[in-house]
Amino acid sequence: MNSQTKSAALSADLNNFIYGVSRRNFQNAPELTKIGILLLKNFPAARDAVLEYFAMVFHDAVNVSLNHGDYESDSSANGSLESVTIIGPELCSLGDTWAPFIAPWCINLIMDIATDKANLPNATLQSTEPVRVLLDITTQNLTMLNSEERAKCIDMMLGCRACSWAVGWVGRAEPALVAPRALALGADAARAVLAHLANHPPALFHVRAAIVDLFQEAIKEDGQPEKKREVIPYLLNLASKSDIVLKALTQDIENTLTDEVLDRLGAVCAAHKHSVAWEGVGPASVVTLLLRSDVHCLFLLLKHTQRNVFSRQLLEHLLQKLEYECLFPDRNIPLLMSAAEEIATVRERLLTGNQREQYTLARILILVCNTLPSEFVSTISYLLQYSRNDTTLALLVRIISGTITMHTPNDSTDISTDTERYQNLIKTGVEYALREAMMSDTQIKKCFIENATFNDEKTYLHHFCLNIIKLLRWEGSNRVSYLRTRSISRAVEGNLQRVGAALHEYASLLRVRNTYTMNSLPELPTCHALAELLDRVDITGTKSPPPSVEAILKVVQATVKYFFRCLHIKDAMEKISGVQSACRLLRKLCAQSKLARALALRDLLETAMFREERAFGSRPHAAAPSPHHHLLMHLNQQHGPITQLTQSHTSVFHAGIIGKGVRKAGGPDDADIPPILTTNNELLMGALMSCMDGNSGIVEGATSVSLLLVELVSPDVMYNGLPWPDEDFTKQVSIERELYMRGAVERCAVSRAALRRVARARPALCLASALLRAAAATLLHRLRAHLDRHAQSAEAARELSALSELLSVMALGQLLPHPLSHMLELAPELTASELVQVLRDCLWNYTRDHVPSPALFTCDASGLHWRDPSTCKPPSTYTDTLRLIIQKRISKLGHLYPIMFLNLDKES
Amino acid sequence: MSISDLKHSLRKLEFPACAKEALLKIEQLLVGRVAPTNKQMDAAMEIVSEFVFCEADRRGGRRGGGLNPLQELQLIDIICDYLSACNNETTKNTIFLSLFGGMENQRKLKILCILASMAVSASSTPVLLAVGVWLQQMGCSSPQSLQLVENVIRDHFYLNTTNHAALQSLAGTAPQFVSNFITSVTELYMIDGQNPVKLPPKNLLEVITLWVYTTPTLCTSAQLNAAALPNGAIPMAAVTPFAGLVRWCSLAPLYIDRDAEMVEVQVKKIKLEGERTLKSTTKAHTEWELYMQLQLGVLQSMRAWRRRGPPAALNAQRIAAFTHPIREYTQRLKDRGCDITQDDNLQVSLDRIGQAVQVALASGCVYGNINHLLAALDSLPENRLLKIVVKAHQQAI
């Protein structure tokens, strides 16, 4: 462009600008603004005037946007607002040579606007577009200044009372410069500046550095105490007004207030205590500060209570204040919030600290728990898991009761709902503790790796149980008034199912046991503890609503498992006490529900017969053939160099039982019938009996036991009915089945013992008629086969003992009425053929004709079922055989005759 | 019209208008065939302070605020208009000096600075000429002049860097102003005693080099064209920028690294796109080159100096004065144990002094004590050219 025309254009611009500005109206502000910017660029000398005009535009724009802040459409139409949007980017992009002019201008303008609108809330003003643009320009230009000029600008702003927010905002560009300067101001101004500054996270660091520097400076020993006398009161005062300052002071307070620093601080305080500035910062204000600080400050305070009286007073003061403040539910106390955030540390200290710490922290925890139910739950859970002595458990009780009773005045009506709520929380706490304890047991522990375990190391679950048991004992003693409400018991009852599951898991043999975890410890102590815990809880529903069926079933299963684990214990005392507690549990559980009884009985029997049979001396149901013995069939085909013909005189047969190989001479192993009277068997019977408590209970229980026996022993449901068929029928149809069943019963001591028990609870034995029938049928056939050939052999002896057992059971069960019941005494003296006769005529035929059914038994007034011997006298057809045999061998059996037949004759 | 009437009539007007009117009244009061009386002078001064700068109220007391920047701009516009419209050089200078003459007032000086800067921006020749006269009358090295020059430099060489063309043309349109301006500028940079030594910004150096190089008569134009001053005023002697420029050229090698600029060019190459980089490298001179060109321009200007009366272009003492920094530099070299004769920068510096002195003496524009100058030069470190020059002229005298 030709310089002449350019200068002419410039002059024209200048004239327009001057003319437009002098009219003092902002309608054409955007045009004037554009001219102004042009002038700034080409005509730097006019900058003062242009900037002055821009300042006017900004003032106007602020007014406009404050008045029309609500709707956007209007703002774009307004001249000055539009101008502001033009000015903003232009002034930002002028470059660093301009910054020394722009920055002070901006700052002056901000100060003017702020002073002008001092009565408006900062936020409103800050959120207006023009102010934001202005702050942006300022920040941009400040960054382009050198440090000296920048400091000057910031000092300028700090001098202005109304625009601390602006300092805070702009200072974000240079927090290290602003923060110390702000601290040189009065407390109010500094608070405002720092508050705004701290909205910018990176600035926080500098704020803190500045404050800590100031503090360190104040307590430094350099012979100028007068100068620094007021620094600490100032800081405290500032902290009371500003969260930022407080936070900066208390962050990492352990590093700031080391012991030396505190000593020095004590000296400083002592020196200045009586000066004016220190009067405003007494204990009350320190307590107010502490309320707003974090929990580390509390720890520090606690640490110093050891040796410092003032600290103790301060602590008590603080606690009282806290408790008072907590009465207002809507107040958020930062100290408590912080304690809640760091609750893990607090709890740990509660366990490990000295007495004062423990009591203090318990009070703090009560307050925290009261405001935050979730912390209540986790605190309970934590203490239940990790408490190792009475003191800490007592603290737990105190925390629970303190939290519950804190806000319930005695005359409040909604106590029930509130306690209900807290009861639920306690229950959840116990649940968490249980779950976490079990989880902790699966975690790898350092002490195992380092081989530094103690002798009496216990699993976490064990500790948990011990804690709960202790609490329950306290509760039961009724001496602790806090525990009168049985809250712990109720909580455990609520978690019955989980406790049951835990016992189930720990008693299980298949439990995963990783090395280096607590699970690698022997689990029986834990099981005992769990059982004791279950034992102490009220599961009968007398004191509280009965537990759910599901829970009961779980506990039953677990108890049965536990019972069988106990049977394997070597130590007799431990074994007995474990079994007894299992029986106690079963008794309680089964009295409660029939379902539980059914399950318990089935579980007990099934396990005893098929899984734990060795413990009872029973032989396994189907013994695997031992590798060395050969099938009879093969042996019989192997012999000789020539082809064997059947029944030829050269052939040699190996004798034996099919499936068992060659008969061994008197091999005792499979010949023996396992004995019934063993400890384990008796214990199992005790357990079975404890499942059926009470009179009718025993009959019902025995009934189900006999049904169960039939179910467990017989291979299918066919021919399981009560009636005894014709003897021939068994010979032709069901002899295999009968043989199998008899073998099964005979091998299994448990089932025999159970049958005996069942026989006593008349008429339950009737339902096991299929088993009796099987025994009778097989005896009949075998005896008939033997006749007298092997009278002295072991097999014959076995048959005889089986016979006597059958007779005794049937006699016990009143299935054989008066004269027939004496067959038992008769049997040992009879020959095989006689026995066959007796069995067929007296036993089989009688039972065939008198079906053993519960209908035969009448119920008397006391609820007992029995057969009246006077009414059920067997007809002579069934007794004649006996009579004949006795008469024939009267010399030997004569003593029985009067017992059996004399009364009979009298009556007939 | 009496003076009080005059004031009375002016008081009826509002600010911009009254200033405009006041200028005309002052012209009436001061400009005539005979020199104005003291009373007239006083009246004019009162009007200036009350109606133009609005610093005094009607009773002559100080008024608080003065003008705000917008009003200042209005006033400057009015003054500018007035000066441009004025076709008599004497009248114009009279009014200008009466407005800005007594320079104890910082506020007036600020307005003058803006006015000058604005005149540069707008290439307003009449105003610039008036400012040139003012500079000369105030003395180019007076604090006020320096402040004005600094302002102009900041506005046009720091803040606004896009106006080279307009600045270049000034040498043709207002040479007296430019000459006095350069003289003042040389007083700002590379002064003995500054620490660290301030160097002129490159764009300023460029423009000055261009001015001096393209217009050989420029340096002497203030001296040649005597200012049209009001009656009875005492004209001050114009000082040429030769002394200052010779100092710049001679001392520059001591302060400037020959290669420094090269690095900067390379940086630019990376920053800019290919085409423009090419352009800038072909066009841009390094500062070293600029000083070489300036030296040439100065020498040419000296040769163009036509003698009319006694030599008045270059003061011998001032050249003798800046041998001091060279000696200091030499001393530093010696302290470091360097060989003086091998130091390129020092030799170039001494060469330039030798050239300048030789040309100046030859064209007869040196005044003052030449013997003293030659003695001072003789004391400088050894340099072949310098030795020859000194020997030749000592013999001649």
Side-chain angles (χ1 to χ4, degrees):
Chain A
M1 197 199 286
N2 180 319
S3 71
Q4 212 56 50
T5 55
K6 190 184 165 190
S7 65
L10 258 184
S11 307
D13 282 348
L14 188 61
N15 280 323
N16 282 339
F17 184 73
I18 290 171
Y19 175 71
V21 169
S22 61
R23 285 199 313 180
R24 295 202 170 269
N25 128 17
F26 294 100
Q27 282 309 311
N28 53 352
E31 281 160 50
L32 283 177
T33 306
K34 280 175 199 157
I35 297 176
I37 288 166
L38 214 62
L39 285 179
L40 266 191
K41 285 183 176 164
N42 295 317
F43 208 161
R47 63 181 176 267
D48 285 343
V50 174
L51 291 179
E52 171 97 4
Y53 175 68
F54 285 176
M56 284 157 59
V57 169
F58 267 102
H59 271 290
D60 183 59
V62 169
N63 280 332
V64 170
S65 55
L66 283 178
N67 293 336
H68 301 277
D70 301 338
Y71 36 103
E72 286 294 306
S73 58
D74 193 75
S75 66
S76 62
N78 185 284
S80 39
L81 283 180
E82 199 183 330
S83 307
V84 165
T85 55
I86 302 172
I87 295 171
E90 288 293 343
L91 289 194
C92 287
S93 61
L94 276 176
D96 46 1
T97 48
W98 279 91
F101 302 103
I102 307 288
W105 171 78
C106 288
I107 286 168
N108 278 320
L109 183 53
I110 289 175
M111 282 166 29
D112 282 352
I113 291 177
T115 320
D116 201 21
K117 309 281 179 220
N119 52 350
L120 282 173
N122 286 339
T124 323
L125 195 58
Q126 269 172 281
S127 64
T128 54
E129 174 80 17
V131 174
R132 270 188 282 143
V133 170
L134 191 56
L135 288 173
D136 195 31
I137 302 173
T138 318
T139 320
Q140 286 281 335
N141 280 294
L142 270 183
T143 53
M144 290 191 269
L145 290 178
N146 65 35
S147 54
E148 198 182 319
E149 288 169 318
R150 212 178 305 165
K152 215 186 287 169
C153 285
I154 285 165
D155 285 343
M156 218 161 106
M157 279 180 107
L158 286 172
C160 174
R161 182 162 266 280
C163 61
S164 49
W165 53 270
V167 186
W169 183 280
V170 170
R172 291 168 191 188
E174 204 58 42
L177 211 58
V178 177
R181 279 162 212 276
L183 286 176
L185 298 175
D188 279 316
R191 185 201 65 79
V193 172
L194 294 179
H196 287 286
L197 195 57
N199 284 337
H200 185 56
L204 260 179
F205 167 74
H206 296 280
V207 171
R208 172 167 151 67
I211 289 173
V212 172
D213 279 354
L214 189 62
F215 174 71
Q216 303 285 18
E217 191 65 31
I219 61 164
K220 204 189 278 174
E221 212 164 356
D222 60 354
Q224 296 175 300
E226 290 309 307
K227 215 173 96 187
K228 297 161 179 170
R229 191 175 54 203
E230 288 168 12
V231 172
I232 289 173
Y234 168 78
L235 278 178
L236 290 176
N237 191 10
L238 192 57
S240 73
K241 293 177 177 173
S242 161
D243 280 340
I244 308 300
V245 175
L246 185 66
K247 205 166 166 204
L249 274 175
T250 54
Q251 190 187 357
D252 292 334
I253 193 154
E254 295 90 342
N255 300 340
T256 318
L257 289 183
T258 55
D259 287 349
E260 302 93 75
V261 170
L262 269 172
D263 289 343
R264 177 74 198 122
L265 191 60
V268 171
C269 287
H272 298 312
K273 206 158 43 183
H274 301 295
S275 69
V276 184
W278 285 70
E279 267 167 22
V281 291
S285 65
V286 175
V287 164
T288 321
L289 282 183
L290 279 171
L291 281 184
R292 288 169 45 223
S293 66
D294 63 9
V295 75
H296 291 286
C297 302
L298 182 72
F299 290 156
L300 195 70
L301 184 62
L302 277 173
K303 185 176 144 201
H304 288 283
T305 52
Q306 300 283 9
R307 46 182 194 145
N308 191 333
V309 184
F310 178 68
S311 296
R312 283 201 283 278
Q313 291 167 352
L314 200 60
L315 179 66
E316 188 50 39
H317 197 150
L318 171 68
L319 286 171
Q320 284 176 7
K321 182 85 179 162
L322 265 178
E323 276 156 9
Y324 172 73
E325 287 289 321
C326 274
L327 292 177
F328 305 94
D330 50 345
R331 290 210 187 148
N332 271 342
I333 301 163
L335 181 60
L336 291 186
M337 292 296 121
S338 147
E341 272 166 31
E342 309 224 10
I343 197 137
T345 330
V346 178
R347 286 188 199 126
E348 204 179 312
R349 288 205 171 211
L350 183 71
L351 290 186
T352 58
N354 58 32
Q355 199 182 18
R356 180 178 288 110
E357 277 183 9
Q358 288 185 328
Y359 286 141
T360 308
L361 292 175
R363 282 169 82 174
I364 296 282
L365 277 177
I366 288 175
L367 299 177
V368 171
C369 293
N370 190 56
T371 36
L372 297 172
S374 64
E375 296 310 333
F376 184 52
V377 170
S378 59
T379 304
I380 293 175
S381 153
Y382 180 86
L383 284 175
L384 281 180
Q385 286 177 74
Y386 297 106
S387 171
R388 295 286 184 268
N389 54 29
D390 285 1
T391 324
T392 44
L393 268 186
L395 287 176
L396 172 63
V397 172
R398 180 184 273 226
I399 289 173
I400 291 177
S401 64
T403 310
I404 295 177
T405 54
M406 196 167 135
H407 278 191
T408 38
N410 290 332
D411 53 350
S412 160
T413 53
D414 56 347
I415 279 183
S416 64
T417 62
D418 227 34
T419 46
E420 204 47 43
R421 198 177 121 241
Y422 278 112
Q423 184 56 47
N424 269 331
L425 294 179
I426 297 172
K427 184 190 140 194
T428 320
V430 172
E431 178 189 334
Y432 281 12
L434 176 62
R435 197 165 57 204
E436 278 161 24
M438 286 173 74
M439 257 153 62
S440 316
D441 280 343
T442 63
Q443 282 158 4
I444 291 180
K445 295 286 166 200
K446 206 172 165 193
C447 59
F448 287 101
I449 294 172
E450 288 167 355
N451 218 351
T453 50
F454 303 111
N455 275 339
D456 57 343
E457 192 82 51
K458 297 184 173 85
T459 60
Y460 286 99
L461 189 61
H462 194 174
H463 281 297
F464 164 79
C465 292
L466 292 180
N467 285 337
I468 291 266
I469 288 167
K470 194 168 278 168
L471 285 175
L472 290 178
R473 211 158 55 214
W474 290 349
E475 217 177 73
S477 75
N478 229 2
R479 261 183 282 169
V480 189
S481 59
Y482 296 136
L483 293 174
R484 290 256 163 81
T485 52
R486 297 186 63 251
S487 47
I488 304 291
S489 320
R490 284 195 287 164
V492 179
E493 282 153 22
N495 284 302
L496 197 59
Q497 188 173 359
R498 286 187 187 80
V499 180
L503 179 59
H504 194 265
E505 189 187 326
Y506 275 75
S508 164
L509 284 170
L510 294 175
R511 198 163 61 101
V512 181
R513 293 175 212 196
N514 294 320
T515 42
Y516 301 135
T517 65
M518 284 291 184
N519 274 341
S520 63
L521 294 174
E523 67 279 344
L524 270 171
T526 313
C527 294
H528 293 323
L530 275 168
E532 188 184 349
L533 170 59
L534 284 170
D535 195 22
R536 285 193 172 272
V537 173
D538 172 47
I539 34 181
T540 54
T542 47
K543 292 179 189 162
S544 49
S548 71
V549 176
E550 226 178 340
I552 286 189
L553 294 187
K554 193 76 204 176
V555 178
V556 166
Q557 281 177 335
T559 313
V560 171
K561 240 186 177 117
Y562 171 65
F563 171 80
F564 284 108
R565 284 306 300 274
C566 288
L567 282 186
H568 290 284
I569 298 175
K570 297 273 188 300
D571 177 41
M573 280 313 291
E574 190 189 348
K575 175 172 173 174
I576 299 298
S577 78
V579 167
Q580 271 177 352
S581 75
C583 290
R584 261 201 311 277
L585 266 178
L586 284 176
R587 181 172 296 122
K588 281 192 209 168
L589 288 163
C590 296
Q592 187 60 30
S593 111
K594 293 189 176 174
L595 200 57
R597 177 157 63 205
L599 183 72
L601 292 176
R602 173 180 287 271
D603 250 13
L604 280 171
L605 273 180
E606 224 173 56
T607 316
M609 286 169 69
F610 297 114
R611 287 195 282 278
E612 302 274 0
E613 66 269 10
R614 281 179 200 282
F616 300 97
S618 317
R619 289 198 304 279
H621 180 63
S626 41
H628 58 79
H629 91 218
H630 306 281
L631 290 176
L632 265 186
M633 192 162 64
H634 294 154
L635 286 176
N636 284 338
Q637 287 170 354
Q638 267 174 2
H639 273 278
I642 52 164
T643 314
Q644 299 289 329
L645 297 172
T646 343
Q647 304 268 316
S648 82
H649 66 281
T650 55
S651 54
V652 176
F653 285 105
H654 295 269
I657 299 171
I658 292 173
K660 287 192 178 178
V662 183
R663 189 199 306 265
K664 291 173 188 102
D669 52 341
D670 51 352
D672 279 357
I673 298 176
I676 295 179
L677 278 172
T678 61
T679 323
N680 286 351
N681 235 337
E682 279 311 297
L683 291 176
L684 177 69
M685 290 308 124
L688 284 177
M689 290 317 286
S690 58
C691 290
M692 17 186 160
D693 216 5
N695 268 339
S696 63
I698 288 185
V699 175
E700 271 178 46
T703 311
S704 47
V705 168
S706 60
L707 285 173
L708 268 173
L709 281 173
V710 174
E711 182 192 329
L712 293 175
V713 169
S714 85
D716 51 43
V717 289
M718 231 176 158
Y719 314 123
N720 271 355
L722 302 184
W724 292 43
D726 250 359
E727 188 221 332
D728 280 347
F729 176 78
T730 64
K731 225 183 290 179
Q732 290 153 14
V733 179
S734 59
I735 186 64
E736 293 236 10
R737 192 170 171 281
E738 314 281 17
L739 274 171
Y740 169 84
M741 281 168 74
R742 171 163 165 218
V745 172
E746 212 156 65
R747 271 196 304 272
C748 176
V750 174
S751 56
R752 281 156 51 220
L755 266 181
R756 221 169 244 283
R757 295 277 168 163
V758 165
R760 292 207 301 221
R762 293 171 284 267
L765 189 62
C766 305
L767 298 168
S769 126
L771 302 184
L772 302 176
R773 190 177 65 213
T778 49
L779 278 172
L780 204 56
H781 287 293
R782 287 214 184 143
L783 286 172
R784 184 183 289 147
H786 287 297
L787 286 180
D788 292 320
R789 272 189 298 163
H790 308 289
Q792 299 310 312
S793 76
E795 271 177 62
R798 215 170 61 194
E799 294 299 313
L800 273 181
S801 81
L803 173 66
S804 63
E805 196 174 318
L806 173 72
L807 290 175
S808 70
V809 166
M810 286 184 77
L812 198 58
Q814 284 196 326
L815 291 183
L816 297 176
H818 167 56
L820 299 182
S821 62
H822 293 281
M823 277 193 281
L824 180 63
E825 290 136 73
L826 215 55
E829 305 301 330
L830 300 182
T831 60
S833 58
E834 282 165 350
L835 277 178
V836 170
Q837 280 179 28
V838 167
L839 271 180
R840 188 182 54 219
D841 296 342
C842 306
L843 192 133
W844 190 277
N845 288 348
Y846 174 78
T847 328
R848 183 193 62 198
D849 299 335
H850 298 84
V851 176
S853 92
L856 296 177
F857 296 79
T858 51
C859 186
D860 71 0
S862 62
L864 267 175
H865 294 264
W866 68 305
R867 264 170 114 175
D868 189 352
S870 55
T871 54
C872 63
K873 201 174 57 173
S876 59
T877 42
Y878 307 114
T879 55
D880 281 348
T881 314
L882 275 178
R883 193 196 297 265
L884 287 176
I885 289 176
I886 293 178
Q887 284 169 353
K888 195 169 110 195
R889 301 177 62 170
I890 194 85
S891 59
K892 243 186 163 182
L893 306 172
H895 65 283
L896 283 173
Y897 191 84
I899 301 171
M900 289 171 73
F901 297 109
L902 233 51
N903 289 341
L904 200 72
D905 285 340
K906 242 181 239 172
E907 282 160 30
S908 61
Chain B
M1 197 188 273
S2 76
I3 289 164
S4 59
D5 287 345
L6 205 64
K7 285 186 179 173
H8 195 70
S9 68
L10 284 173
R11 278 185 192 128
K12 289 176 184 164
L13 297 170
E14 281 298 307
F15 161 70
C18 76
K20 203 170 199 172
E21 200 59 35
L23 287 175
L24 295 174
K25 301 295 182 208
I26 297 165
E27 183 183 338
Q28 284 169 12
L29 278 173
L30 296 185
V31 180
R33 255 161 255 121
V34 289
T37 61
N38 276 348
K39 203 180 160 197
Q40 280 172 320
M41 295 276 276
D42 288 347
M45 284 303 131
E46 281 170 20
I47 289 172
V48 165
S49 86
E50 183 175 344
F51 297 105
V52 179
F53 293 111
C54 303
E55 320 174 288
D57 59 15
R58 59 181 60 190
R59 276 170 298 280
R62 294 193 65 80
R63 203 194 277 179
L67 299 172
N68 68 23
L70 285 171
Q71 288 171 324
E72 281 175 6
L73 198 61
Q74 280 174 319
L75 176 62
I76 288 162
D77 194 40
I78 288 166
I79 295 174
C80 215
D81 281 349
Y82 173 80
L83 293 178
S84 311
C86 192
N87 44 20
N88 183 337
E89 200 69 7
T90 315
T91 311
K92 189 181 73 180
N93 290 345
T94 308
I95 299 298
F96 193 85
L97 288 177
S98 63
L99 282 177
F100 299 105
M103 268 305 105
E104 70 285 353
N105 188 334
Q106 199 60 31
R107 198 178 279 162
K108 274 192 200 172
L109 181 58
K110 185 185 158 205
I111 293 177
L112 176 59
C113 289
I114 299 175
L115 178 63
S117 167
M118 188 164 148
V120 173
S121 296
S123 305
S124 168
T125 316
V127 181
L128 285 179
L129 289 177
V131 174
V133 170
W134 182 89
L135 277 176
Q136 191 173 331
Q137 288 301 102
M138 296 303 293
C140 288
S141 50
S142 69
Q144 290 89 352
S145 304
L146 292 184
Q147 194 180 340
L148 181 128
V149 168
E150 267 183 325
N151 252 300
V152 172
I153 291 173
R154 192 179 59 205
D155 286 356
H156 293 279
F157 295 95
Y158 285 102
L159 297 184
N160 179 12
T161 49
T162 58
N163 53 350
H164 260 206
L167 288 175
Q168 279 168 20
S169 67
L170 288 184
T173 52
Q176 294 95 322
F177 166 76
V178 171
S179 167
N180 284 329
F181 176 75
I182 297 176
T183 311
S184 286
V185 171
T186 57
E187 296 297 322
L188 286 174
Y189 301 101
M190 287 196 221
I191 305 288
D192 197 11
Q194 282 172 339
N195 192 24
V197 173
K198 265 164 77 182
L199 296 174
K202 194 184 167 198
N203 51 3
L204 176 63
L205 183 64
E206 263 172 18
V207 169
I208 290 179
T209 307
L210 208 72
W211 278 340
V212 173
Y213 187 73
T214 50
T215 323
T217 56
L218 181 74
C219 295
T220 51
S221 58
Q223 217 167 32
L224 294 179
N225 309 317
L229 288 178
N231 284 338
I234 307 149
M236 303 298 283
V239 181
T240 63
F242 281 138
L245 291 177
V246 169
R247 189 178 73 237
W248 279 17
C249 294
S250 312
L251 296 186
L254 307 185
Y255 298 131
I256 289 170
D257 199 352
R258 203 186 290 233
D259 307 324
E261 203 77 0
M262 306 304 282
V263 177
E264 200 181 319
V265 170
Q266 274 175 346
V267 171
K268 269 183 184 168
K269 245 182 204 164
I270 298 166
K271 274 185 183 169
L272 297 174
E273 291 157 30
E275 230 177 0
R276 292 178 65 191
T277 319
L278 205 66
K279 218 172 162 185
S280 68
T281 43
T282 50
K283 203 183 168 187
H285 296 282
T286 63
E287 285 196 30
W288 185 268
E289 288 166 338
L290 282 175
Y291 279 109
M292 271 162 57
Q293 202 177 7
L294 183 60
Q295 168 84 354
L296 182 57
V298 170
L299 297 182
Q300 279 172 345
S301 301
M302 284 188 195
R303 297 225 22 220
W305 191 74
R306 279 151 308 171
R307 175 178 288 208
R308 275 194 220 151
L314 187 58
N315 188 339
Q317 266 146 343
R318 298 197 55 192
I319 294 186
F322 64 78
T323 55
H324 179 62
I326 297 181
R327 283 200 212 96
E328 271 184 356
Y329 182 81
T330 318
Q331 191 58 43
R332 279 206 299 277
L333 282 182
K334 280 182 182 163
D335 290 348
R336 270 186 283 160
C338 301
D339 188 358
I340 304 164
T341 51
Q342 294 303 308
D343 189 85
D344 278 351
N345 289 345
L346 179 63
Q347 292 302 323
V348 170
S349 168
L350 295 174
D351 277 347
R352 285 192 186 160
I353 294 178
Q355 289 160 7
V357 170
Q358 171 61 28
V359 173
L361 287 174
S363 48
C365 55
V366 181
Y367 66 94
N369 192 338
I370 294 175
N371 276 332
H372 192 253
L373 167 67
L374 291 178
L377 293 180
D378 207 20
S379 72
L380 284 175
E382 191 170 310
N383 175 276
R384 192 161 160 262
L385 176 62
L386 205 55
K387 213 183 229 170
I388 296 169
V389 171
V390 170
K391 199 174 265 178
H393 288 282
Q394 271 174 341
Q395 282 171 353
I397 295 165

